[in-house]
Amino acid sequence: MPEIKITPLGAGQDVGRSCILVSIGGKNIMLDCGMHMGFNDDRRFPDFSYITQNGRLTEFLDCVIISHFHLDHCGALPYMSEMVGYDGPIYMTHPTKAICPILLEDFRKITVDKKGETNFFTSQMIKDCMKKVVPLNLHQTVQGDYNMTPDRHLGAAWIDKCRPDILISESTYATTIRDSKRCRERDFLKKVHETVERGGKGENEPQGPDLLLQGLTEKANHYYKLFITWTNQKIPQDLRAAEHVRVQAHQALDRSYAITLDRWAIGHKILNGQRKLAS
């Protein structure tokens, strides 16, 4: 078996900017290209200088594989491909390709348009970066974050008869006993209500919560429907129930609107002197 060399360019001993360089059989593969959310300078990006002091990365890297669309796993992609320089293939799943540019653009707006930071990628760089993406199906890519129990949108992680030579995994909460998901969701919603009642707006890290709080709810629901076969069994049931409620609400609204128009028409006739109205 050929020698495997593992080099963390980010997230080696901290949380964020996940980026692992794997060298095997004369090939160099980059696993993830994330951003560190705790820094506002070049430290937020992986250390690409280990690969090349100057010049493009294309000559050194054979491919880049993105596990999923969280920004600590994909946030530095446009910086790496368009500012440092990489023209090779970038592999990710279909849902990740769909959602990744939305989160990247959302974070760019916060970082550049609102905070005024420089040395950051542009909207056009995001588009040019995504043109290099080669979409793959489930079980054709690596996974950075995984859960052995199902959550609200994905089923439990599993793989059939795998005997890995090496396992690379995050351990952010490995020794942490966390509150139940129900308690965390209750506390989160309580903070949202308190903020809105004070007249504020919700802004969270550009991961899951921003789909709820920053006007991306419709897009999130669209992608749930588009990739319904990738989700757990509860999502189709919830979407069908939500669609049923939406249709009923529209029907009730239409009836109310018709009654309002009818009353407005009757009042208009009376005000204009009409004394007899057809029943």
Side-chain angles (χ1 to χ4, degrees):
M1 181 186 139
E3 179 186 18
I4 302 176
K5 183 179 179 181
I6 308 295
T7 307
L9 303 180
Q13 292 182 334
D14 61 352
V15 178
R17 63 181 172 195
S18 293
C19 188
I20 308 295
L21 179 64
V22 178
S23 301
I24 179 173
K27 302 292 184 180
N28 295 310
I29 302 169
M30 181 180 289
L31 304 179
D32 283 335
C33 188
M35 184 182 300
H36 198 300
M37 314 304 288
F39 295 112
N40 296 322
D41 51 28
D42 288 348
R43 289 177 295 173
R44 63 176 141 212
F45 302 117
D47 184 12
F48 300 115
S49 64
Y50 181 85
I51 299 177
T52 174
Q53 295 296 327
N54 47 47
R56 302 176 67 81
L57 300 174
T58 309
E59 290 73 22
F60 185 83
L61 291 176
D62 291 280
C63 72
V64 176
I65 303 176
I66 301 299
S67 60
H68 62 292
F69 55 75
H70 284 169
L71 291 181
D72 57 330
H73 291 263
C74 73
L77 257 183
Y79 176 84
M80 185 271 294
S81 66
E82 308 308 313
M83 298 179 71
V84 179
Y86 173 72
D87 298 320
I90 301 172
Y91 297 104
M92 61 180 68
T93 63
H94 290 273
T96 296
K97 182 184 179 182
I99 300 175
C100 183
I102 297 176
L103 295 184
L104 288 171
E105 175 60 20
D106 191 56
F107 188 63
R108 187 205 65 79
K109 288 180 180 178
I110 296 173
T111 304
V112 178
D113 297 348
K114 290 187 177 181
K115 296 182 179 179
E117 296 184 22
T118 58
N119 192 31
F120 211 76
F121 49 79
T122 64
S123 296
Q124 187 59 47
M125 288 180 181
I126 296 175
K127 296 176 182 177
D128 293 338
C129 173
M130 297 310 296
K131 292 177 182 177
K132 301 170 184 176
V133 171
V134 180
L136 299 174
N137 294 317
L138 192 64
H139 299 300
Q140 288 184 305
T141 62
V142 298
Q143 180 54 268
D145 296 345
Y146 62 90
N147 198 331
M148 303 308 293
T149 57
D151 57 22
R152 286 191 176 274
H153 61 290
L154 294 177
W158 66 274
I159 189 168
D160 187 33
K161 297 179 181 179
C162 179
R163 294 180 178 271
D165 294 293
I166 187 168
L167 175 64
I168 304 173
S169 176
E170 287 191 3
S171 57
T172 308
Y173 300 107
T175 60
T176 302
I177 300 176
R178 308 178 70 184
D179 294 334
S180 70
K181 182 178 290 290
R182 183 179 295 275
C183 291
R184 297 200 306 272
E185 291 175 348
R186 181 195 60 203
D187 294 341
F188 171 70
L189 289 175
K190 181 181 178 181
K191 292 179 181 178
V192 171
H193 283 286
E194 291 174 350
T195 301
V196 173
E197 288 174 356
R198 292 196 305 267
K201 294 188 298 183
E203 283 192 4
N204 258 311
E205 62 177 12
Q207 307 286 359
D210 76 329
L211 296 177
L212 174 65
L213 297 180
Q214 296 181 6
L216 300 181
T217 307
E218 289 296 325
K219 290 183 179 179
N221 289 335
H222 168 72
Y223 288 118
Y224 272 129
K225 295 176 182 178
L226 187 61
F227 300 109
I228 195 72
T229 57
W230 293 67
T231 62
N232 62 29
Q233 295 180 350
K234 191 173 184 299
I235 291 296
Q237 298 171 0
D238 290 345
L239 285 176
R240 284 195 295 268
E243 183 66 18
H244 179 67
V245 172
R246 187 186 68 82
V247 170
Q248 287 184 325
H250 273 287
Q251 290 174 345
L253 180 62
D254 289 342
R255 287 194 298 269
S256 175
Y257 182 63
I259 293 172
T260 302
L261 284 178
D262 185 52
R263 290 176 177 172
W264 180 87
I266 293 173
H268 178 74
K269 292 177 181 179
I270 293 174
L271 290 174
N272 281 277
Q274 188 170 338
R275 293 291 178 262
K276 293 183 179 182
L277 300 173
S279 58

